[in-house]
Amino acid sequence: MTHPIASSESGVEYLKLPVPQSEGGMSLLTALRQRCSTRRFAPRSLDDSLLSSLLWAAFGINRPEAGLRTAPSARNWQEIDLYLALRDGLYVLEAADWRLRLVSGEDLRAATGLQDYVAEAPLNLVYVSRLSMLDETDKSVRQFYTALDTGYISQNVYLFCAASGLATVARGLLDRRTLAAAMRLAPDQRVILAQSVGYPA
């Protein structure tokens, strides 16, 4: 990232994202044909405009009047938070204000998975469920819905990457407890999945 407009509210740092591209691009059928998992990444970072468009495709707001998103969620809980592990720190997307909130200035990319390449990927998305937003008490049902909703978002990322010449791979092999501690997650938050993104090597 090249750090867009930075602001501070009550000591919290925010990075305002550029307006995302939400029209044009590759056809859906072509993107589906090119969609694949890639595990080798060039070190080059995504610029702010591309990152903003990626995040919008993943789980941005596409119907502002109702606050609805580009990916569905069960009962419109919108319980999945998108965290970004970048070279210069860990951020979380705040879609309503279209900005990133700095969580930690540490490079936590290596902590987002057990494979060697995760430390080299310029961006690792971490999908985190906030269980307090679900009005469902049965644990197995909560797990089903959070996994389902994460899958929708992850596939949006796959299709955006295919259409934009980016490489990506979704990853379930990670130490969730250690990662949650490194990310300073709240007790009601659970790490569901991680996904590496970057330019192909």
Side-chain angles (χ1 to χ4, degrees), residues 81-85 90-92 103 124-126 128 183 185 189:
D81 288 325
L82 269 64
Y83 283 78
L84 293 78
L90 178 72
Y91 298 83
V92 63
V103 177
N124 286 294
L125 296 169
V126 183
V128 175
M183 294 173 65
L185 296 183
Q189 290 182 289

Side-chain angles (χ1 to χ4, degrees), residues 6 10 26-27 33 35 39 42 44 48 54 58 62-63 69-70 74 79 89 92 101 105 158 163 176 190-191 198:
S10 303
M26 180 183 289
S27 75
R33 190 173 66 247
R35 190 220 63 80
R39 294 169 177 81
R44 175 185 170 194
D48 299 329
L54 166 68
N62 64 353
R63 287 154 289 171
R69 316 287 281 266
T70 57
E79 81 284 4
V92 63
R101 173 171 53 85
Y158 263 108
R176 289 171 174 81
R190 299 289 185 274
V191 173

Side-chain angles (χ1 to χ4, degrees), residues 69-118:
R69 316 287 281 266
T70 57
S73 64
R75 304 182 195 174
N76 197 33
W77 282 323
Q78 298 186 18
E79 81 284 4
I80 303 300
D81 288 325
L82 269 64
Y83 283 78
L84 293 78
L86 296 159
R87 185 175 289 105
D88 64 344
L90 178 72
Y91 298 83
V92 63
L93 175 66
E94 295 189 347
D97 297 305
W98 204 239
R99 65 187 183 182
L100 300 178
R101 173 171 53 85
L102 180 66
V103 177
S104 169
E106 296 179 71
D107 181 354
L108 297 179
R109 290 176 298 163
T112 67
L114 303 181
Q115 305 92 335
D116 292 341
Y117 61 82
V118 303

Side-chain angles (χ1 to χ4, degrees), residues 35-66:
R35 190 220 63 80
C36 65
S37 293
T38 305
R39 294 169 177 81
R40 295 183 62 214
F41 300 90
R44 175 185 170 194
S45 297
L46 280 63
D47 66 42
D48 299 329
S49 295
L50 186 59
L51 178 63
S52 180
S53 296
L54 166 68
L55 295 174
W56 182 84
F59 203 36
I61 295 174
N62 64 353
R63 287 154 289 171
E65 66 283 354

